[in-house]
């Protein structure tokens, strides 16, 4: 639970730091990291709910990321596609919570924390 809170704080810090800059086209150096973060959030949304977490916590974090970025419609569609790709990537693999699903959650939490921290430290104010 503490790691989830730290991850959420890091996501918000990254989105706030990036959101304070003008929205740039896909050639922005932080764009791949943000798209990967969106995919990680989608994966966590599927896996955490599969393993007993109820609610839309990770989708809400994705909405906050999009809101902070204030992207144009094309970029917004890329964020959503990345989130959905992450969500769907496990739908065909897992129908119930297993030890490997729990391990995947752990790996994605770590990756999300790392992405958030790196984006915020490299490109934040």
């Amino acid at each position: 639970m503490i790691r989830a809170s730290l991850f959420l704080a890091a996501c918000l810090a990254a989105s706030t730091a990036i959101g304070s800059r003008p929205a740039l086209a896909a050639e922005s150096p932080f764009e791949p990291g943000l798209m990967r973060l969106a995919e990680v959030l989608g994966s966590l949304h599927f896996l955490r709910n599969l393993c007993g977490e109820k609610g839309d916590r990770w989708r809400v974090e994705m909405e906050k990321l999009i809101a902070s970025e204030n992207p144009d419609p094309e970029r917004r569609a890329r964020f959503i596609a990345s989130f959905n790709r992450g969500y769907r990537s496990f739908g065909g693999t897992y129908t119930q919570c297993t030890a490997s699903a729990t391990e995947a959650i752990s790996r994605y939490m770590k990756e999300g924390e790392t992405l958030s921290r790196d984006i915020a430290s490299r490109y934040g104010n």
Side-chain angles (χ1 to χ4, degrees), residues 22-66:
L24 301 175
E27 70 272 0
S28 298
F30 51 81
E31 193 74 6
L34 286 176
M35 292 303 150
R36 180 62 186 157
L37 181 58
E39 192 171 342
V40 166
L41 289 170
S43 296
L44 287 170
H45 184 60
F46 177 83
L47 291 167
R48 297 286 299 244
N49 280 287
L50 181 71
C51 289
E53 184 177 291
K54 300 297 178 212
D56 292 332
R57 179 180 192 174
W58 302 103
R59 186 181 57 75
V60 169
E61 290 306 314
M62 183 65 211
E63 290 171 354
K64 289 178 185 177
L65 177 61
I66 290 173

Side-chain angles (χ1 to χ4, degrees), residues 54-104:
K54 300 297 178 212
D56 292 332
R57 179 180 192 174
W58 302 103
R59 186 181 57 75
V60 169
E61 290 306 314
M62 183 65 211
E63 290 171 354
K64 289 178 185 177
L65 177 61
I66 290 173
S68 71
E69 284 295 301
N70 192 24
D72 61 43
E74 181 182 315
R75 188 165 176 246
R76 178 180 169 78
R78 286 196 311 272
F79 272 111
I80 292 168
S82 294
F83 180 88
N84 289 341
R85 183 174 39 258
Y87 185 89
R88 291 184 191 123
S89 67
F90 290 101
T93 307
Y94 296 106
T95 57
Q96 60 185 11
C97 188
T98 63
S100 63
T102 303
E103 177 59 29

